[in-house]
Amino acid sequence: FNPYRARHAEGHSPLAANHVSHTHPELVRTYGKSLWLDPGETAVQDYSLSVVMDVVNRYDIDGVHLDDYFYPYKETDGHGHVLPFPDDPSWRRNGVATGLSRDDWRRSNIDRFVERVYHEIKKAKPWVKFGISPFGIWRPGNPPQIKGFDAYSEIYADSRKWLQNGWCDYFTPQLYWKIEQTPQSFPVLLSWWISQNAQGRHIWPGSYTSRVADASKAPWSASEIVYQVRTQRGHAGATGLIHFSAKALLKNVGKVADQLASGPYAEPAIPPASPWLEAEPPSMPLLARDETPTGPRATWCAAPGDTSRLWIVQSLRKGVWSTEVLPATVTGQFLSAADPPETLAVSLIDRTGVQSPPAMLDCTGAE
């Protein structure tokens, strides 16, 4: 979700009759060539939160993600002068009485919304993760060598505060720069964000994978992305990486998908667990061997009270274990006569990513 962007500047289709600019024009501001909801209006926060919660309540989703658009990035007029965001009415009505500076008031509006979204999601469905991908630099000078855009003062995003307060389950700072780019170095920024993670949430940096194919800029080599994955794995406290965007992987631009698949992504993996989202881990699943007309079959199911999101099925053959990650709908497999496993181990991954103890099955026929 981009919770405040009501219409993108590049939008061309007519606005729907029930578009928020028609149903609640008092909440919408024209800024540059775009339409924005005003974060300073309490009704805007309520409206955007209601949209998020409508999706959470009506759909079986794994998570809610906020992009880096909070207050808008600054627009300029035809002479290059910065346009002020037109929130005078909400500032006079809601901001002046707080005693905060206008900038601090704007930041407090975003803080309050982020906190509300996190807690409302947890009240409805504790297992639904909430994550944010803010601009990769909190403030220039943090750490000292870092230079660049100041999201804290320009778009009023105090992203470090959200992480330090634990108002997310995973945090994906957009580290869209090369490893060797000293003023915005990927590993230097990653180390800094890890050091700010007081609540032990997941740090999954964003990697600019689409830059491999970006002809409008100097394209990166696919090896840069591979190195960033390996760099992330070398940082204790960073438990994954998110690629922007999937298009580059699906199109395999610059052979980036091939290099990942033959390198750091050669083995199957699952998202790491979020144990703070549940009280009790899942129990060992139930695993049995059945004789069927077409041969022996292993079947499994969750223990009473548990729900599976994924199955981890591990097979031992000639002293070597292999692993499959299977969807919850797969609850058995035939034991191949041509290449039967000696032992089968099946564990459950629940909605929060926590893994159960494995149930073990001797597939040689012994009880």
mmCIF file of all heavy atoms in Angstrom, residues 27 46 65 99 125 135 143 159 168 193 231 267 274 293 333 336 341:
data_model
loop_
_atom_site.group_PDB
_atom_site.id
_atom_site.type_symbol
_atom_site.label_atom_id
_atom_site.label_comp_id
_atom_site.label_asym_id
_atom_site.label_seq_id
_atom_site.Cartn_x
_atom_site.Cartn_y
_atom_site.Cartn_z
ATOM 1 N N LEU A 27 -10.682 15.642 1.822
ATOM 2 C CA LEU A 27 -9.477 14.981 2.333
ATOM 3 C C LEU A 27 -8.343 14.956 1.312
ATOM 4 O O LEU A 27 -7.219 14.562 1.647
ATOM 5 C CB LEU A 27 -9.797 13.543 2.746
ATOM 6 C CG LEU A 27 -10.913 13.352 3.773
ATOM 7 C CD1 LEU A 27 -11.087 11.866 4.076
ATOM 8 C CD2 LEU A 27 -10.627 14.138 5.049
ATOM 9 N N ASP A 46 -7.949 7.418 9.442
ATOM 10 C CA ASP A 46 -9.015 6.430 9.635
ATOM 11 C C ASP A 46 -9.382 5.754 8.313
ATOM 12 O O ASP A 46 -9.590 4.536 8.264
ATOM 13 C CB ASP A 46 -10.268 7.106 10.215
ATOM 14 C CG ASP A 46 -10.047 7.626 11.630
ATOM 15 O OD1 ASP A 46 -9.082 7.178 12.292
ATOM 16 O OD2 ASP A 46 -10.843 8.479 12.068
ATOM 17 N N HIS A 65 2.271 -4.566 3.357
ATOM 18 C CA HIS A 65 3.535 -3.877 3.104
ATOM 19 C C HIS A 65 3.261 -2.418 2.745
ATOM 20 O O HIS A 65 2.399 -2.126 1.924
ATOM 21 C CB HIS A 65 4.267 -4.552 1.941
ATOM 22 C CG HIS A 65 5.632 -4.011 1.688
ATOM 23 N ND1 HIS A 65 6.750 -4.522 2.304
ATOM 24 C CD2 HIS A 65 6.061 -2.990 0.907
ATOM 25 C CE1 HIS A 65 7.816 -3.840 1.895
ATOM 26 N NE2 HIS A 65 7.423 -2.902 1.057
ATOM 27 N N GLY A 99 1.627 22.282 19.779
ATOM 28 C CA GLY A 99 2.864 22.898 20.234
ATOM 29 C C GLY A 99 4.094 22.394 19.518
ATOM 30 O O GLY A 99 5.210 22.835 19.805
ATOM 31 N N LYS A 125 -5.598 -10.393 13.059
ATOM 32 C CA LYS A 125 -4.944 -11.636 12.660
ATOM 33 C C LYS A 125 -3.466 -11.538 13.048
ATOM 34 O O LYS A 125 -2.653 -11.014 12.286
ATOM 35 C CB LYS A 125 -5.077 -11.868 11.151
ATOM 36 C CG LYS A 125 -6.502 -12.112 10.686
ATOM 37 C CD LYS A 125 -6.544 -12.348 9.173
ATOM 38 C CE LYS A 125 -7.964 -12.629 8.688
ATOM 39 N NZ LYS A 125 -8.014 -12.820 7.203
ATOM 40 N N PHE A 135 12.838 4.687 2.448
ATOM 41 C CA PHE A 135 14.066 5.119 1.779
ATOM 42 C C PHE A 135 15.256 4.624 2.604
ATOM 43 O O PHE A 135 15.226 4.647 3.835
ATOM 44 C CB PHE A 135 14.076 6.640 1.656
ATOM 45 C CG PHE A 135 15.210 7.177 0.839
ATOM 46 C CD1 PHE A 135 15.177 7.121 -0.545
ATOM 47 C CD2 PHE A 135 16.318 7.735 1.462
ATOM 48 C CE1 PHE A 135 16.238 7.614 -1.305
ATOM 49 C CE2 PHE A 135 17.380 8.239 0.718
ATOM 50 C CZ PHE A 135 17.342 8.166 -0.676
ATOM 51 N N PRO A 143 25.347 6.100 9.148
ATOM 52 C CA PRO A 143 26.575 6.446 9.848
ATOM 53 C C PRO A 143 27.329 7.582 9.139
ATOM 54 O O PRO A 143 26.896 8.041 8.084
ATOM 55 C CB PRO A 143 27.365 5.134 9.826
ATOM 56 C CG PRO A 143 26.881 4.436 8.607
ATOM 57 C CD PRO A 143 25.432 4.784 8.476
ATOM 58 N N SER A 159 11.781 6.775 9.996
ATOM 59 C CA SER A 159 11.746 5.319 9.860
ATOM 60 C C SER A 159 12.514 4.608 10.963
ATOM 61 O O SER A 159 12.144 3.498 11.369
ATOM 62 C CB SER A 159 12.266 4.909 8.481
ATOM 63 O OG SER A 159 13.504 5.526 8.205
ATOM 64 N N CYS A 168 6.700 -3.098 13.360
ATOM 65 C CA CYS A 168 6.765 -3.862 12.122
ATOM 66 C C CYS A 168 7.253 -5.262 12.480
ATOM 67 O O CYS A 168 7.770 -5.488 13.576
ATOM 68 C CB CYS A 168 7.724 -3.213 11.116
ATOM 69 S SG CYS A 168 9.408 -3.051 11.755
ATOM 70 N N TRP A 193 21.518 -0.166 9.943
ATOM 71 C CA TRP A 193 20.121 -0.518 10.220
ATOM 72 C C TRP A 193 20.039 -1.674 11.208
ATOM 73 O O TRP A 193 19.187 -1.668 12.110
ATOM 74 C CB TRP A 193 19.386 -0.851 8.928
ATOM 75 C CG TRP A 193 18.951 0.357 8.154
ATOM 76 C CD1 TRP A 193 19.437 0.802 6.967
ATOM 77 C CD2 TRP A 193 17.924 1.292 8.536
ATOM 78 N NE1 TRP A 193 18.796 1.955 6.580
ATOM 79 C CE2 TRP A 193 17.865 2.277 7.525
ATOM 80 C CE3 TRP A 193 17.071 1.396 9.623
ATOM 81 C CZ2 TRP A 193 16.964 3.348 7.569
ATOM 82 C CZ3 TRP A 193 16.170 2.466 9.674
ATOM 83 C CH2 TRP A 193 16.124 3.416 8.663
ATOM 84 N N THR A 231 26.572 -10.662 0.676
ATOM 85 C CA THR A 231 26.908 -9.676 1.703
ATOM 86 C C THR A 231 25.864 -9.667 2.802
ATOM 87 O O THR A 231 26.192 -9.625 4.000
ATOM 88 C CB THR A 231 27.025 -8.273 1.073
ATOM 89 O OG1 THR A 231 28.092 -8.282 0.118
ATOM 90 C CG2 THR A 231 27.299 -7.217 2.123
ATOM 91 N N GLU A 267 19.606 -23.872 -3.122
ATOM 92 C CA GLU A 267 18.814 -24.747 -2.260
ATOM 93 C C GLU A 267 17.502 -24.061 -1.886
ATOM 94 O O GLU A 267 17.439 -22.828 -1.797
ATOM 95 C CB GLU A 267 19.599 -25.081 -0.985
ATOM 96 C CG GLU A 267 20.893 -25.846 -1.226
ATOM 97 C CD GLU A 267 20.644 -27.234 -1.772
ATOM 98 O OE1 GLU A 267 19.589 -27.821 -1.457
ATOM 99 O OE2 GLU A 267 21.503 -27.733 -2.534
ATOM 100 N N SER A 274 8.897 -15.841 12.746
ATOM 101 C CA SER A 274 8.593 -14.641 13.533
ATOM 102 C C SER A 274 7.966 -15.096 14.849
ATOM 103 O O SER A 274 6.748 -14.983 15.048
ATOM 104 C CB SER A 274 7.644 -13.719 12.767
ATOM 105 O OG SER A 274 8.188 -13.341 11.522
ATOM 106 N N PRO A 293 -3.013 -49.781 -3.421
ATOM 107 C CA PRO A 293 -2.884 -50.647 -4.610
ATOM 108 C C PRO A 293 -1.744 -50.245 -5.536
ATOM 109 O O PRO A 293 -1.239 -51.064 -6.293
ATOM 110 C CB PRO A 293 -4.244 -50.489 -5.304
ATOM 111 C CG PRO A 293 -5.189 -50.132 -4.206
ATOM 112 C CD PRO A 293 -4.392 -49.295 -3.253
ATOM 113 N N GLN A 333 2.948 -38.545 -0.176
ATOM 114 C CA GLN A 333 3.672 -38.864 -1.394
ATOM 115 C C GLN A 333 3.975 -40.354 -1.421
ATOM 116 O O GLN A 333 4.146 -40.992 -0.377
ATOM 117 C CB GLN A 333 4.961 -38.050 -1.523
ATOM 118 C CG GLN A 333 5.997 -38.298 -0.474
ATOM 119 C CD GLN A 333 7.245 -37.449 -0.667
ATOM 120 O OE1 GLN A 333 8.337 -37.899 -0.387
ATOM 121 N NE2 GLN A 333 7.092 -36.210 -1.115
ATOM 122 N N SER A 336 8.782 -44.171 -3.753
ATOM 123 C CA SER A 336 9.209 -44.750 -5.022
ATOM 124 C C SER A 336 9.908 -46.089 -4.824
ATOM 125 O O SER A 336 10.843 -46.215 -4.019
ATOM 126 C CB SER A 336 10.145 -43.777 -5.747
ATOM 127 O OG SER A 336 10.772 -44.405 -6.834
ATOM 128 N N PRO A 341 13.295 -43.779 -0.150
ATOM 129 C CA PRO A 341 14.094 -43.205 0.931
ATOM 130 C C PRO A 341 14.235 -44.205 2.070
ATOM 131 O O PRO A 341 13.386 -45.073 2.263
ATOM 132 C CB PRO A 341 13.275 -41.984 1.351
ATOM 133 C CG PRO A 341 11.868 -42.337 1.012
ATOM 134 C CD PRO A 341 11.946 -43.190 -0.220
#
